Amino acid sequence: MINADNRILVKEHLAHEAEPRALSGDEKRRLEDEIKAELKARNAVLVAHYYTDPDIQRLAEETGGCVSDSLEMARFGNQHSASTVVVAGVKFMGETAKILNPEKTVLMPTLEATCSLDIGCPPEEFSRFCDEHPDRTVVVYANTSAAVKARADWVVTSSCAQSIVEHLDSKGEKILWAPDKHLGRYVQRTTGADVLLWDGSCIVHEEFKARGVEDLKALYPDAAILVHPESPESVVEIADVVGSTSQLIHAVQTLPNERFIVATDNGIFYKMQQLAPNKTLIEAPTAGNGATCRSCAHCPWMAMNGLENLLHVLRTGDQEIFVDDALREAALRPLRRMLDFTASMNLKAAGNA
């Protein structure tokens, strides 16, 4: 494992975060009406991640866009006839959309919305790490920059990572994994593959603690525990279901339990409650509250997507995503490798952060 300690850089980003201001009901309705008109005028479609504000998710659905994980957002934009794709999420999601849709304009409400996994895996440092281990196949999580993807052999999501690593292991290949160490360790344990881990983590999922989840389970013994594999190993071990965002949503719909303790970003509750309105969702406790908690079960960068900055980019064309052509081609290769593999295995390549 490499000690890629970029926590100071993460803290600097958090210190400069700017969440949208609180809006009144009338302001929301006015902004939503204006956004709908601008989407039509610009021939644009809005795609939103499960972790964005419920108002953004609802607006995407009402205007013919989609609410999904980052890869499915990019694929939806690719299949849609709109000439402009507006990505409500974090920056690597906009880059992925542009990699798969080079002919389209890709806008984001703010380019300041990033990800601790992306920040914690700087391309130059990661490239040096890869050079130090030339005998290993480089597998990177979708939650990475275009430059890191370009250095990889494979890109994976949390729903297809195990199958792809199992495939590589069956061929005798050793894996270099980045950036999330918790997801990497989970894949390593479930596949038995030889995996060398980069030292990165998600500030949201790393806040979940086993003791807190166990205490909550004692209060609600009938509740099923749903955990994203970016969470620490001690939390994963006590889960009833470990899975990607899409897989956890499916679990709420299909499991017989009436209650669920959910250890992932609480933005997912909007879609879960929409699809399973009779189920009770309980937010898993994090390490702290308020000033003692870096994320408190919600990504601070996802929270930067708001109605006002969404309307602004539609009107101005600001906050556009650009990816250099050579870099895009290099990053597209491992993405296409994943898409082809999952298609051949009849798997759904969806469900990263």
Side-chain angles (χ1 to χ4, degrees):
M1 179 187 294
I2 187 171
N3 182 21
D5 190 355
N6 289 280
R7 292 172 181 82
I8 293 176
L9 187 56
V10 171
K11 288 180 180 179
E12 289 176 352
H13 276 260
L14 286 172
H16 292 92
E17 72 181 62
E19 289 191 19
R21 68 182 181 91
L23 301 171
S24 68
D26 287 342
E27 286 178 310
K28 285 185 180 181
R29 284 187 287 273
R30 175 184 60 79
L31 287 166
E32 288 170 2
D33 288 343
E34 292 179 10
I35 289 168
K36 289 176 181 179
E38 291 292 338
L39 285 169
K40 289 182 180 179
R42 186 179 271 275
N43 186 26
V45 64
L46 173 62
V47 294
H49 192 269
Y50 289 126
Y51 295 166
T52 54
D53 187 274
D55 289 332
I56 299 289
Q57 296 185 50
R58 178 173 48 79
L59 191 58
E61 294 171 334
E62 290 178 355
T63 55
C66 81
V67 178
S68 190
D69 58 80
S70 67
L71 186 62
E72 190 57 35
M73 288 160 64
R75 293 169 67 178
F76 182 91
N78 181 257
Q79 296 163 4
H80 199 278
S81 60
S83 59
T84 297
V85 181
V86 184
V87 177
V90 294
K91 190 174 181 181
F92 78 80
M93 299 176 181
E95 287 186 338
T96 303
K98 187 64 177 181
I99 290 167
L100 291 178
N101 306 282
E103 76 289 353
K104 297 189 177 187
T105 299
V106 177
L107 304 176
M108 299 193 71
T110 172
L111 297 182
E112 295 300 313
T114 185
C115 170
S116 58
L117 291 172
D118 190 349
I119 295 170
C121 193
E124 290 184 4
E125 189 174 343
F126 178 66
S127 186
R128 287 195 297 271
F129 183 50
C130 295
D131 290 342
E132 292 168 1
H133 304 279
D135 59 325
R136 290 182 177 268
T137 299
V138 179
V139 179
V140 303
Y141 193 25
N143 300 32
T144 47
S145 66
V148 168
K149 289 181 175 70
R151 186 62 178 81
D153 299 303
W154 289 80
V155 172
V156 299
T157 69
S158 52
S159 62
C160 68
Q162 288 170 273
S163 297
I164 288 176
V165 170
E166 283 177 350
H167 166 71
L168 296 174
D169 181 56
S170 71
K171 296 168 59 180
E173 298 183 33
K174 298 188 295 183
I175 309 301
L176 185 154
W177 171 278
D180 191 281
K181 62 185 178 184
H182 297 303
L183 177 58
R185 189 173 292 116
Y186 175 71
V187 171
Q188 180 184 45
R189 190 172 69 253
T190 55
T191 64
D194 182 339
V195 181
L196 179 64
L197 300 172
W198 179 269
D199 184 17
S201 61
C202 167
I203 64 168
V204 177
H205 294 98
E206 198 167 51
E207 291 284 347
F208 296 114
K209 306 299 178 186
R211 177 61 183 272
V213 175
E214 288 172 335
D215 289 346
L216 200 54
K217 175 71 171 180
L219 290 175
Y220 304 102
D222 60 327
I225 300 172
L226 309 183
V227 174
H228 193 283
E230 287 178 29
S231 303
E233 186 174 3
S234 59
V235 179
V236 169
E237 287 176 345
I238 60 176
D240 295 296
V241 176
V242 179
S244 65
T245 49
S246 301
Q247 290 165 340
L248 296 185
I249 291 170
H250 181 70
V252 169
Q253 294 177 266
T254 57
L255 290 181
N257 306 68
E258 294 299 319
R259 291 189 181 94
F260 295 87
I261 298 170
V262 184
T264 192
D265 191 295
N266 60 27
I268 203 174
F269 281 32
Y270 169 79
K271 180 57 69 175
M272 284 182 167
Q273 206 71 78
Q274 182 187 62
L275 297 176
N278 297 322
K279 301 297 178 74
T280 299
L281 307 177
I282 304 165
E283 185 177 306
T286 54
N289 294 293
T292 65
C293 181
R294 292 178 299 171
S295 66
C296 294
H298 187 50
C299 174
W301 294 296
M302 287 287 189
M304 293 171 70
N305 292 273
L307 296 175
E308 288 184 305
N309 53 16
L310 173 56
L311 179 60
H312 174 77
V313 299
L314 282 167
R315 284 178 169 169
T316 65
D318 289 348
Q319 310 298 309
E320 182 174 355
I321 290 286
F322 296 98
V323 179
D324 174 80
D325 285 342
L327 180 62
R328 190 193 72 81
E329 288 294 335
L332 181 60
R333 284 192 289 270
L335 272 168
R336 281 294 178 204
R337 190 169 286 139
M338 176 188 67
L339 293 173
D340 291 344
F341 176 86
T342 53
S344 69
M345 297 294 289
N346 196 29
L347 296 171
K348 185 179 180 183
N352 47 295

